[in-house]
Amino acid sequence: MPMILVAQVSDTHFDLGARNAERARRVMTFLDELRRKPDVILVTGDITESGKPEQYAEAELALASEIPVCFLPGNHDDRTGLRTALLGEPAGSAPINRVHRVGELLLVLLDSSVPGAAGGQLTDDTYQWLREVLATAPTGKPIMLALHHPPAPLHSPIIDEIALADPERLADLISGDDRIVAVLAGHAHSAATTTFAGRPLLVAPSTASVLGGVWELDPPDHVMDYAPDPMIALHVLADDARLTTHFRSVPLRGRISVAPV
Ligand SMILES: [Fe+2]
Ligand SMILES: [Fe+2]
């Protein structure tokens, strides 16, 4: 199996302001200019700040790429807005669950958003859909699951309150399935890794801001840090199905050249 490179971009929060759009554009340019381009760019939710059609229009422009891009909604998104602007589909409020094949890798996108709520939950239909996807997916081929809300606590005073509800239900469904190489999430605005159901849980940082952990100052003194450069995750699935993740900050002012060592 040839190497597969999955770039994960998360929590762009397009809000009609210049700042977040510029940061997302910079990240997309960075990915496009890589010597080895990603096979897919996965955007794991909170694409917009408040789900407005004009914000999706902004996202549609900024996130356009020759590289295939796939999208998941977050708690700040609107399913109809996402469907019509980014997926080219008719309006509709059903969960946006999708599979994408990337070579031998199956990317399974689960919609954990709950309209009108900050916390995440998978519907009964989504669980049923996932059961069917796993039942029909090829044996011996790698699978990555992605959803906006992390299904495990991250020691984030804000996010742990609004993480995925009933994570054990998801864990029961996937534990023991050796094809699943990782679970990918966003929402936390922090590059973080832990485990879930015996698998790596890889949380992509936000391109817009960084959210402090419990070891930092108490909210609201230190909630969002807007100073750091935008960050992304690069997941490398090697020939032997070993997964390696690099978290990368993308300088806003172009590449810094370094002398060879
Ligand atoms: Fe977010
Ligand atoms: Fe979120």
Side-chain angles (χ1 to χ4, degrees):
M1 187 182 83
M3 184 191 109
I4 295 171
L5 181 58
V6 177
Q8 189 182 355
V9 174
S10 202
D11 294 81
T12 46
H13 287 266
F14 285 94
D15 58 1
L16 305 179
R19 178 187 179 278
N20 288 0
E22 164 60 18
R23 294 166 77 92
R25 273 197 301 270
R26 181 72 199 107
V27 159
M28 295 302 282
T29 303
F30 171 84
L31 293 173
D32 194 48
E33 289 177 349
L34 290 176
R35 189 169 72 86
R36 162 66 162 87
K37 287 193 206 312
D39 296 287
V40 66
I41 299 172
L42 168 63
V43 185
T44 42
D46 285 357
I47 299 164
T48 64
E49 176 64 19
S50 48
K52 295 195 173 97
E54 313 83 67
Q55 295 169 350
Y56 284 107
E58 215 186 3
E60 185 186 5
L61 270 180
L63 301 177
S65 176
E66 311 240 307
I67 302 164
V69 185
C70 48
F71 300 95
L72 258 179
N75 50 299
H76 285 259
D77 285 307
D78 173 76
R79 287 175 178 155
T80 278
L82 197 162
R83 271 196 166 87
T84 51
L86 300 178
L87 304 180
E89 295 178 3
S93 60
I96 302 175
N97 301 314
R98 295 285 184 277
V99 290
H100 293 273
R101 241 170 234 294
V102 187
E104 295 206 334
L105 170 69
L106 193 67
L107 259 182
V108 180
L109 275 52
L110 300 167
D111 183 346
S112 60
S113 69
V114 178
Q121 188 137 38
L122 301 173
T123 66
D124 290 345
D125 286 351
T126 296
Y127 280 111
Q128 185 52 34
W129 176 84
L130 175 60
R131 230 172 259 120
E132 285 161 19
V133 165
L134 294 177
T136 53
T139 51
K141 305 292 184 209
I143 297 171
M144 282 184 191
L145 295 187
L147 72 173
H148 180 70
H149 295 79
L154 299 172
H155 308 285
S156 166
I158 307 294
I159 293 305
D160 289 353
E161 298 294 315
I162 52 170
L164 185 78
D166 307 324
E168 60 288 341
R169 202 172 162 193
L170 180 60
D172 284 349
L173 219 156
I174 67 168
S175 55
D177 192 330
D178 292 337
R179 298 171 299 176
I180 298 171
V181 291
V183 178
L184 313 180
H187 191 47
H189 291 229
S190 181
T193 69
T194 181
T195 55
F196 172 71
R199 296 285 175 275
L201 170 58
L202 308 170
V203 182
S206 163
T207 58
S209 58
V210 174
L211 189 52
V214 290
W215 55 89
E216 293 172 287
L217 296 175
D218 286 339
D221 295 334
H222 177 91
V223 177
M224 287 288 190
D225 187 349
Y226 293 95
D229 281 336
M231 285 184 75
I232 57 168
L234 293 166
H235 308 291
V236 187
L237 190 62
D239 306 8
D240 59 359
R242 179 189 293 273
L243 182 67
T244 306
T245 294
H246 289 248
F247 294 104
R248 177 71 75 247
S249 72
V250 178
L252 282 169
R253 311 264 170 257
R255 290 273 182 87
I256 298 161
S257 20
V258 288
V261 288

